[in-house]
Amino acid sequence: MDLTGDPRAPSRPVPGPRSAPGGPGFVLTTRSGGVSGSVTVTDLSPFRHRTTTAAFLCATSGPRSHVFRGPLLYEVLSALAPLVPDVPRRTRAHCAVWLRGGDGHGAVVSWAEIDPEFAAAPFLLATAVDGTPLGEQGPQLVSPGDRCGARYISAITRVDVVVDGAGP
């Protein structure tokens, strides 16, 4: 799995989600009284984007391989929901990120999976697939390394960052 990006691009935008005037995106919430707002593909553009080729097995269409481009999920959430990186490691070990797609499909990612102090898995919020921008559909969760495509969430509509260990 090769992740490349433009080193000149900033690693984070100005913190804080903003409401977008229309357009697809997702609602970002934290469960411990934190940030709440709307995030679109355009809001993700200031983040450093990486490119990865990911192959996975889709239950309905068999083996798939695509080139995805977008920022790391960890970097986006650290900037827009900065509460989690500031809590002790033991607390972060039981934090979770719940994601829901436009088709109702969802997945959970452990904070420890994406946190550089733990597994540092390079989950992306893809803004383009195979060179095609996802502005019309909204961002897609990309789970490089997963053999199954179940955690590739298309057209993300909601992201809940759960700090207290209780699901949304």
Side-chain angles (χ1 to χ4, degrees):
M1 157 182 18
D2 176 39
L3 288 174
T4 58
D6 183 350
R8 298 167 298 173
S11 61
R12 295 182 184 186
V14 177
R18 59 183 181 170
S19 293
F26 58 88
V27 174
L28 172 67
T29 66
T30 61
R31 289 294 165 149
S32 292
V35 178
S36 180
S38 177
V39 181
T40 67
V41 168
T42 302
D43 295 325
L44 299 175
S45 63
F47 288 90
R48 180 178 170 214
H49 281 52
R50 285 128 172 114
T51 301
T52 188
T53 300
F56 56 92
L57 183 61
C58 178
T60 58
S61 58
R64 309 281 302 267
S65 180
H66 296 284
V67 177
F68 297 95
R69 182 160 177 78
L72 291 175
L73 176 64
Y74 175 81
E75 290 182 359
V76 171
L77 295 181
S78 293
L80 300 181
L83 177 67
V84 178
D86 293 338
V87 300
R89 272 187 253 169
R90 285 187 176 186
T91 302
R92 282 184 277 150
H94 64 85
C95 294
V97 181
W98 296 62
L99 300 103
R100 177 80 50 200
D103 62 358
H105 182 69
V108 177
V109 176
S110 161
W111 188 269
E113 285 182 273
I114 63 173
D115 191 318
E117 290 193 67
F118 292 92
F123 283 76
L124 294 180
L125 286 174
T127 58
V129 177
D130 297 329
T132 302
L134 293 175
E136 293 298 313
Q137 294 93 2
Q140 177 175 342
L141 179 69
V142 176
S143 179
D146 279 10
R147 289 179 279 175
C148 163
R151 292 199 298 176
Y152 284 72
I153 307 299
S154 299
I156 297 170
T157 58
R158 184 173 185 87
V159 175
D160 289 294
V161 180
V162 181
V163 179
D164 60 5

